[in-house]
Amino acid sequence: MPLRLLAILLAALSTIAWAFAADSGNARLQQLLKRYPEADANRDGTLSVAEARAHAQQLRATKTADGAPTLADADDTGAPRPSPKKPAPTHADVSYGPDARHKLDLWLAKSDAPTPLVVYIHGGGFINGSKAGASAAMINSCLEAGVSFMAINYRYRTSAPIQDVLRDCARSIQYVRSKAKTYNLDPTRIASYGGSAGAGTSLWLAFHDDLADPKHSDPVLRESSRLLAAGSINGQATYNLLRWQEVLGQPANAYERPGETASFYGAKSDTELETAPIKAAMRDVDMLAHISADDPPVFLYAAQPDGDVTSRGHLLHHPRHALSVKQRCDEVGVPATAYFAHTEPRLEGDYQPKLREFLLRHLKPAPAAN
C-alpha cells in the first residue's frame, strides 16, 4: 500500500476515534470498518473507538512483510515523513546460485578494514516479495555505521519445498563468505533479519547447525552458514507446521488452503506427511527443535495481539511464535531480546531503531570512513 494512502488511513483512524469518542457506533466509524475489517479486534461487527485507536497504533508499529514504508513513517498528524533515499547497490543482481531467483544486491561500506554485513531476507509467505523491499533507512544506517548490507531473493515455495527454499538463503550467506576478500567483508561478522517469512528464515539460519561441507565439490557450500545475530519481525517459531497446535493452541491447517501443508514440504498429499523423507524435512525446518546454547543472540518483535487466533494473518504472525522462541532461548541460555505491540515487554511505535541497535551492537562495527 502506498505511503500516502497509509498516512491517510492513520489520520482517519486517529481523527475519527478522537472526534467521536462519545459515540463508538457512529456511522463514520462503521464506514471505516467496511474498508478495514481487521480493525474489529473482537469481531462483533462494530468498530469501537478503542479498536480504532488500537488499530492505528498497530499500523504505526508494523512494517510490511517486505520492509516497505508503512504508517511507522507517518508523524503524529498522519502526514508522511520525508522518506530517506535508497542508495544504488554497489553490486546489483549478483547471482549466488543457479536459479533465476538466486540474486542478491550488495551495498558496501567504505572502510580500509573488512566490514561486518547485515543481510535482509524478504517476507511474503514464501510466495511473493523481493529484495527490493529492503528499507532505505536500514541500508543508510548500516552504511553510516561502517556495516555493509545485502538483500537477497530466493525461490518461492511454488517451485521448491520449504527445506530447499531455506537452503537458498543459507547459500547466499555461504556465497558472500566465499567472496569476502573480493568485497572486503569480515566473514565472522554476518547477521540477518527479515519480516514474516524472512523472520522465520533468519531464525532458522541462527539456530540450525552449520551447513558447511568442507569436502563438497561446490566451493560455495564449503563455507559456513552460521550467523552472529538474527532479527525476527512478526516471524514464525517453527516450520514444522504440525507443531503449531503446541505453539498457538490451534493447528496450522485451521486457515489452510487446500493441500497447503503437504505442498509446503513438496508432498503430494497429507498421507505423505507420515513418510520418512517428509518427517525428516519437518525436523530439518523446526527452528524450535534446533535451539541450543551455542546459538547467536536473536531479536524478536510481534505486532499482533495475543489471544485466540482470529484470522490467517493472526495465525501466521501471532505473538506466541515469538514467545515460544524466547522461552526456549531462555531455557538453554541463548540471549533473546523480545518486544511486543500488545503485551509485555511492550514497544510502542517503530521497532526499527531497536532492531538496528541490536544488530549493530552485536556486529560491533568500526566507525565508518569519512
Side-chain angles (χ1 to χ4, degrees):
M1 187 181 296
L3 176 60
R4 180 181 178 85
L5 181 56
L6 286 164
I8 291 171
L9 170 58
L10 177 60
L13 286 168
S14 300
T15 301
I16 290 176
W18 173 83
F20 297 98
D23 182 10
S24 63
N26 186 275
R28 290 182 68 183
L29 280 173
Q30 299 318 304
Q31 289 173 2
L32 274 179
L33 175 62
K34 290 180 181 179
R35 189 170 182 182
Y36 307 104
E38 67 276 10
D40 180 16
N42 63 6
R43 303 300 188 265
D44 66 353
T46 300
L47 184 65
S48 68
V49 172
E51 287 172 329
R53 286 175 174 158
H55 192 59
Q57 180 181 3
Q58 179 179 338
L59 288 170
R60 184 184 295 279
T62 306
K63 297 289 182 179
T64 63
D66 283 336
T70 67
L71 291 174
D73 299 291
D75 64 23
D76 290 339
T77 69
R81 296 190 182 99
S83 299
K85 183 178 179 181
K86 184 184 293 186
T90 312
H91 301 280
D93 284 329
V94 176
S95 294
Y96 67 84
D99 193 83
R101 288 279 305 169
H102 290 161
K103 301 290 186 182
L104 63 84
D105 292 341
L106 187 61
W107 289 260
L108 297 179
K110 296 179 180 178
S111 175
D112 293 332
T115 67
L117 178 69
V118 166
V119 181
Y120 166 72
I121 304 175
H122 71 77
F126 298 109
I127 57 173
N128 55 50
S130 81
K131 56 185 172 64
S135 160
M138 183 68 84
I139 296 170
N140 287 319
S141 294
C142 287
L143 295 179
E144 290 168 6
V147 175
S148 295
F149 191 96
M150 184 170 83
I152 68 166
N153 284 345
Y154 48 83
R155 284 177 293 174
Y156 297 138
R157 61 182 173 88
T158 50
S159 62
I162 185 62
Q163 58 269 30
D164 292 347
V165 173
L166 295 176
R167 279 172 169 74
D168 285 356
C169 300
R171 181 182 176 89
S172 74
I173 303 293
Q174 294 170 296
Y175 173 85
V176 80
R177 273 204 170 95
S178 75
K179 301 293 184 182
K181 290 184 179 179
T182 300
Y183 296 134
N184 193 35
L185 300 173
D186 182 345
T188 68
R189 293 190 290 167
I190 298 178
S192 80
Y193 79 98
S196 192
T201 300
S202 292
L203 293 180
W204 184 81
L205 288 167
F207 300 144
H208 199 282
D209 289 345
D210 199 338
L211 295 172
D213 182 353
K215 297 181 179 179
H216 204 284
S217 59
D218 183 346
V220 170
L221 297 182
R222 299 173 198 161
E223 298 289 339
S224 173
S225 59
R226 296 287 280 170
L227 300 174
L228 195 62
S232 169
I233 309 303
N234 297 318
Q236 297 76 44
T238 173
Y239 290 134
N240 179 349
L241 301 183
L242 300 186
R243 292 194 67 183
W244 282 26
Q245 174 77 53
E246 169 191 340
V247 172
L248 303 176
Q250 191 162 352
N253 64 6
Y255 294 90
E256 180 184 42
R257 295 162 182 145
E260 189 171 28
T261 296
S263 65
F264 196 61
Y265 307 105
K268 295 180 180 179
S269 68
D270 286 349
T271 58
E272 282 191 54
L273 296 176
E274 296 300 319
T275 64
I278 299 302
K279 284 186 175 181
M282 288 191 286
R283 287 193 299 271
D284 180 70
V285 300
D286 186 352
M287 294 89 83
L288 278 177
H290 291 308
I291 300 173
S292 57
D294 60 342
D295 290 333
V298 295
F299 177 96
L300 308 163
Y301 174 76
Q304 291 282 348
D306 202 351
D308 292 340
V309 176
T310 57
S311 67
R312 180 181 173 90
H314 196 200
L315 180 88
L316 295 172
H317 306 125
H318 200 285
R320 290 178 196 162
H321 286 290
L323 285 167
S324 62
V325 172
K326 169 65 172 170
Q327 180 180 4
R328 181 59 183 155
C329 286
D330 289 348
E331 288 172 354
V332 303
V334 173
T337 301
Y339 293 102
F340 303 90
H342 295 279
T343 188
E344 298 301 326
R346 192 179 301 270
L347 176 63
E348 296 185 1
D350 190 0
Y351 66 84
Q352 285 213 46
K354 293 285 189 181
L355 172 63
R356 285 196 294 266
E357 186 277 330
F358 169 86
L359 293 172
L360 296 180
R361 171 164 46 87
H362 287 288
L363 291 173
K364 296 180 180 178
N370 293 327

